[in-house]
Amino acid sequence: MPSLRAEISEIAVSPDHYIGGRRVASDTTFEVRSPLDWDWKLADVARGDALTADEAVTAANEAFDGWAARGPEGRAEILHRLADLIDDNIEAIATVECADMAMLLESLQARVVHRGAENFRNYADLAAGYTPREWSSKGTNNTVQRMPAGPAVIITPWNAPWLLSTWKLAPALAAGNPVILKPAEWSPLSASLLADLADEAGVPPGVLNIVQGIGEEVGAALVSDRRVRRISFTGSPETARHIGIAAAKNITPFTAELGGKGPLIVFADSDLEAAAKKGAGQYDDSGQVCLAGTRLLVEESVSAEFLEMFHRFTDEHVLGDSRAPSTTISPMIHPDHLARVEGFVERARGAGDTIVRGGERWKADGLWYEPTLIEPASNHSEVVQREVFGPVLTYQTFAAEAEAIELANSTDYGLSGIVYTGSEERAQRVGAAVRAGTVWVNTFLVRDLTAPFGGCRISGIGREGGDYALDFHSDLKTLQISEGSTG
Ligand code: NAD
């Protein structure tokens, strides 16, 4: 296996901010370590403060008119160049992202990094291909125009930094808004590589700014700045509440993509083997996936058969170093997060829930947690009702479709749902009844970039994806001209 230490030092990753097209340091730094080996310090990263936030918003504000004036086609040209550069640098980005947050190297190389390029291409083309709605009504000719809104702040979580930052940056930039991105403090490094590529692609100074630091410090300062006209946040509901208050003070529109507690519902008429395999697949990425179906809800009549297959597929998982091709379960991001996950399982044990498998750290000297299955004492158990964000699934059975739907909708979350059934009618019925922003039937994680994406209830506010994201990043204007009045 190649030594990532050497590779990452060969790949120069700046630990500084990127503001107004240049690197800016801070007086203080914070330490970033690798989940692959906690003794491995990756970088001392600049710790931004209120002054850094002010500098970044000023740079974005100054760049606004020029970026907006380029129009969608002019911006698309630059964003396509950025996408091409991402594709040319897949190996370097994958290596850094793997060291920083321990996502499996193979999936980064094969899919995830390229998806960043696709995000930029998709939004560049979509914005440039916009056909304004036009119609006549009440003696006027009407047109809907998209006006760039102004500087946008984007705040991302640690669990999929590359994927999520490109997913959120692309529509903002394509719509004409300069951006200040603040990546999460546990995995800030791939964003720094993106700044270098943006520079090379010809993104003008101030159009893409990267500010590093702690959420409660520089993050809070950014979202409180009244010059910021859009905030796009992905993270936890707790943080969204703080950001929402700051946004409300300045009447700044914001979207929030938040946590999940998705059901994976398995009906007796489904391809049980496929369902059990997908069930065991919810442990991928150590369960640090907001969209995961973490509550297994299985029809009673096939419970024994499902469980036998589920355990067989779970036994096939390989815990290990994320750089090894055989590994399917990576270490968790941070010792604090591992301790949080352990806390959930310990409290479940204490409350009378049954630990069916797992429930322990895999090794004393690493950040892995065993794939864990818990049969809750009741649907009110904490482990059923709250997002764990680790390799911990719950197992419940149901007797009839109505009960499955009731259980599926019985948490405060509503991000995603997964249904396994062989019946078209049931697919439609249950798909419509599950309260979530996305429901997959007999599949999982298939994402069309033009589809709306977001959550119900505490899983989010607003929708991103496709035209929904471009509309969010624009001020929509209705232009009405009196018919026959202009010659
Ligand atoms: P978090 O809310 O703790 O942090 C997210 C980001 O917010 C970080 O960059 C952090 O620095 C910043 N932040 C914290 N306090 C802030 C403040 N007061 N003002 C401004 N910014 C602040 O979340 P996390 O632990 O990094 O991520 C895990 C959460 O993200 C989980 O709940 C997960 O489900 C969710 N998530 C949701 C999606 C989705 O698409 N719905 C995708 C991935 C992760």
Side-chain angles (χ1 to χ4, degrees), residues 155-159 182 185 215 219 234-236 239 257-259 290 387:
I155 299 202
T156 49
W158 50 259
N159 70 312
K182 199 215 75 72
E185 45 269 49
T234 298
S236 64
T239 305
E257 297 180 348
L258 309 176
C290 55
E387 183 185 48

Side-chain angles (χ1 to χ4, degrees), residues 153-160 164 167-168 182-187 213-224 231 233-243 246 256-261 288-291 333 337 340 387-389 413 415 447 453-455 459-460 464:
V153 164
I154 290 176
I155 299 202
T156 49
W158 50 259
N159 70 312
L164 289 170
W167 160 253
K168 292 169 101 63
K182 199 215 75 72
E185 45 269 49
W186 285 352
S187 55
I214 312 300
E216 294 79 357
E217 297 171 6
V218 73
L222 283 169
V223 297
S224 303
I231 299 169
F233 170 70
T234 298
S236 64
E238 292 72 28
T239 305
R241 289 187 179 99
H242 291 291
I243 293 178
E257 297 180 348
L258 309 176
K261 195 71 204 179
Q288 301 170 127
V289 179
C290 55
L291 296 164
I333 181 80
H337 188 57
R340 181 179 176 274
E387 183 185 48
V388 178
F389 221 51
Y413 296 90
L415 186 61
R447 289 282 308 279
F453 179 80
S459 288
E464 296 191 353

